[in-house]
Amino acid sequence: MSVPNDEALRVLAQHVGERLRQGRDHLVTAESCTGGWIAKCVTDIAGSSDWFDCGMAAYSYEAKQALLGVRPQTLEVHGAVSRETVIEMVSGALVNSGASVAVAVTGIAGPGGGSPDKPVGTVWIGWKRRGGYARAELFQFAGDREAVRRQTVEAALKGLESL
């Protein structure tokens, strides 16, 4: 997978916005490893107030619990970078917003923090439509911290396009 540049992310965010507007949907983002980058990309698009509700950047366990309703047991048993956590993040984002569509990301962007089980570049992304079931996907991205984060933003937006 190639690393997207700013223009590629802008074009993708614009497409997502058009789809959300057409569907009369509003988006909420719940971001850990991207630190709000998805929200930044979508709010760079003029008119995004028509379809963007809010974004939450939740790095710490405490923030994931307080802002997104991630259960302490989930974090203790599975860790922050897990399918279980991203599903609770994406669901909690919808509960705590007025949005109809959510995306959540959690991962290890590096350069540190990786382990044999979860190396740098391990990212879980979750998507959910209000009233529907969450979908989560595991990614293994290559490159430095910025490359991992850019690829995460791209994959998150592409997933929203197909939601």
Side-chain angles (χ1 to χ4, degrees):
M1 183 177 237
S2 64
V3 178
N5 62 22
D6 289 344
E7 179 61 14
L9 294 177
R10 187 194 65 73
V11 168
L12 195 51
Q14 194 165 8
H15 288 235
V16 167
E18 289 166 8
R19 280 201 106 133
L20 291 167
R21 185 181 296 107
Q22 288 169 359
R24 291 186 163 74
D25 285 311
H26 286 85
L27 174 66
V28 59
T29 62
E31 302 180 63
S32 187
C33 62
T34 49
W37 200 334
I38 300 166
K40 183 237 185 282
C41 282
V42 298
T43 58
D44 280 348
I45 305 304
S48 58
S49 59
D50 290 343
W51 48 268
F52 182 72
D53 185 60
C54 64
M56 295 170 243
Y59 253 58
S60 70
Y61 276 26
E62 293 79 9
K64 285 177 177 68
Q65 292 170 45
L67 297 174
L68 300 168
V70 176
R71 296 175 307 135
Q73 305 91 307
T74 301
L75 294 166
E76 289 169 20
V77 173
H78 302 286
V81 181
S82 65
R83 179 181 190 280
E84 294 79 6
T85 295
V86 84
I87 286 175
E88 290 184 20
M89 287 173 68
V90 77
S91 298
L94 284 172
V95 167
N96 293 306
S97 73
S100 53
V101 174
V103 62
V105 298
T106 184
I108 304 163
S115 69
D117 288 356
K118 297 176 185 176
V120 169
T122 302
V123 176
W124 278 96
I125 304 177
W127 301 269
K128 186 174 181 180
R129 180 174 288 284
R130 188 174 294 281
Y133 292 103
R135 178 171 63 93
E137 191 172 341
L138 174 63
F139 294 86
Q140 287 297 152
F141 296 123
D144 63 10
R145 182 176 184 81
E146 176 148 340
V148 168
R149 294 174 74 197
R150 282 181 176 277
Q151 291 169 90
T152 301
V153 172
E154 178 183 48
L157 292 170
K158 283 183 174 178
L160 285 169
E161 266 193 324
S162 66
L163 193 61

